[in-house]
Amino acid sequence: MSINIENLDLLEDKIITCKKCSRLVAWREEVAQVKRKAFLKWDYWGKPVPGFGDPRARVMVVGLAPGAHGSNRTGRMFTGDGSGDFLFPALFNAGFANQPNAVSLDDGLILNDMFITAVCRCVPPGNRPTRDEIQNCKNYLVKEIQIIKPKILVALGKIAFDGLRGIFPGIKSNCLFVHGAVYPINDHQTLVCSYHPSRQNTQTGRLTKEMFAQIWNKVSL
Ligand code: SF4
């Protein structure tokens, strides 16, 4: 499936209405109905989550998928969950975000020189999309990359790394997912690898604030 869209707003409309993966459609809607106790008053987003940020970004950050009670609730990537609580202060410190917090679509957050997206737009059970589901979603990411033309792509986690490897044949097969690794994609784009800022990584010390800051220092001008 190739997508004949050259405009981010139109692409966003197409993503938000997608129902291609029946398992994920059912799950995103169930999570949005059942809710978490702390968010019972929220009207959950419960739809695919599009990328967001600076349409002329030099840096594109590629994550895994929406969090059940994070972006599946708020409608914006990494917004309202523990991963975002770790990500946005780091982006703020590095000058990519105008504020260190992200809690809702209308919180005033603006990204500068950065666009944040993911390999899968719907919340998967257990945070694990299947290979077919990532494949179904692949062309949305391809299209975002074609429209934005980032110079640097930051893969947050191994699944994002593998997703980008499936898009760019120029990433050599002997390139391994290692935190901080930098690989050429082609003569004008570069891939940077980072551990995902999931609670599982940040609360176990696998990813520290210092390790994460090194990634953003590496990609800032
Ligand atoms: S994961 Fe992607 S392809 Fe699948 S339903 Fe969601 S938006 Fe569509």
Side-chain angles (χ1 to χ4, degrees):
M1 174 191 74
S2 68
I3 303 170
N4 187 22
I5 289 178
E6 296 305 329
N7 174 300
L8 267 185
D9 291 334
L10 293 177
L11 179 61
E12 183 174 315
D13 290 345
K14 188 166 177 71
I15 292 171
I16 288 172
T17 53
C18 183
K19 293 182 186 274
K20 194 159 187 184
C21 309
S22 54
R23 184 183 83 117
L24 300 190
V25 172
W27 182 243
R28 74 193 189 203
E29 290 174 1
E30 183 182 332
V31 171
Q33 283 293 318
V34 175
K35 305 184 184 182
R36 177 177 280 169
K37 204 170 169 191
F39 303 122
L40 285 178
K41 290 189 177 155
W42 272 77
D43 188 9
Y44 273 51
W45 177 257
K47 297 187 284 273
V49 179
F52 82 103
D54 184 345
R56 296 186 182 170
R58 195 176 44 86
V59 181
M60 179 179 280
V61 177
V62 183
L64 168 57
H69 305 281
S71 48
N72 188 57
R73 169 173 59 92
T74 62
R76 194 175 65 197
M77 295 279 176
F78 286 100
T79 298
D81 63 15
S83 298
D85 290 345
F86 199 85
L87 175 66
F88 287 108
L91 297 183
F92 174 68
N93 288 337
F96 288 108
N98 69 330
Q99 60 189 44
N101 56 315
V103 293
S104 65
L105 277 176
D106 59 357
D107 60 11
L109 175 68
I110 297 170
L111 297 183
N112 173 39
D113 203 20
M114 178 172 281
F115 190 88
I116 300 180
T117 185
V119 290
C120 179
R121 314 304 171 120
C122 294
V123 55
N127 280 334
R128 283 264 156 195
T130 65
R131 198 173 295 181
D132 285 349
E133 288 160 352
I134 291 175
Q135 186 63 27
N136 287 346
C137 224
K138 175 177 163 183
N139 277 332
Y140 296 136
L141 180 56
V142 169
K143 202 56 180 168
E144 284 172 337
I145 294 169
Q146 286 173 353
I147 293 172
I148 295 169
K149 301 183 181 63
K151 294 213 174 337
I152 299 172
L153 291 109
V154 180
L156 293 182
K158 172 80 163 49
I159 295 176
F161 174 77
D162 289 340
L164 288 170
R165 216 211 273 268
I167 290 172
F168 292 106
I171 303 172
K172 294 208 166 74
S173 56
N174 62 356
C175 294
L176 300 177
F177 177 73
V178 176
H179 182 80
V182 179
Y183 300 117
I185 294 174
N186 49 45
D187 60 6
H188 57 278
Q189 290 173 307
T190 302
L191 173 64
V192 177
C193 303
S194 169
Y195 289 143
H196 190 283
S198 64
R199 284 220 161 113
Q200 200 181 358
N201 285 338
T202 58
Q203 291 189 340
T204 56
R206 186 165 197 242
L207 178 63
T208 64
K209 286 181 182 173
E210 292 72 25
M211 289 166 67
F212 211 34
Q214 283 165 6
I215 298 293
W216 310 115
N217 290 337
K218 210 183 280 253
V219 304
S220 60
L221 281 172

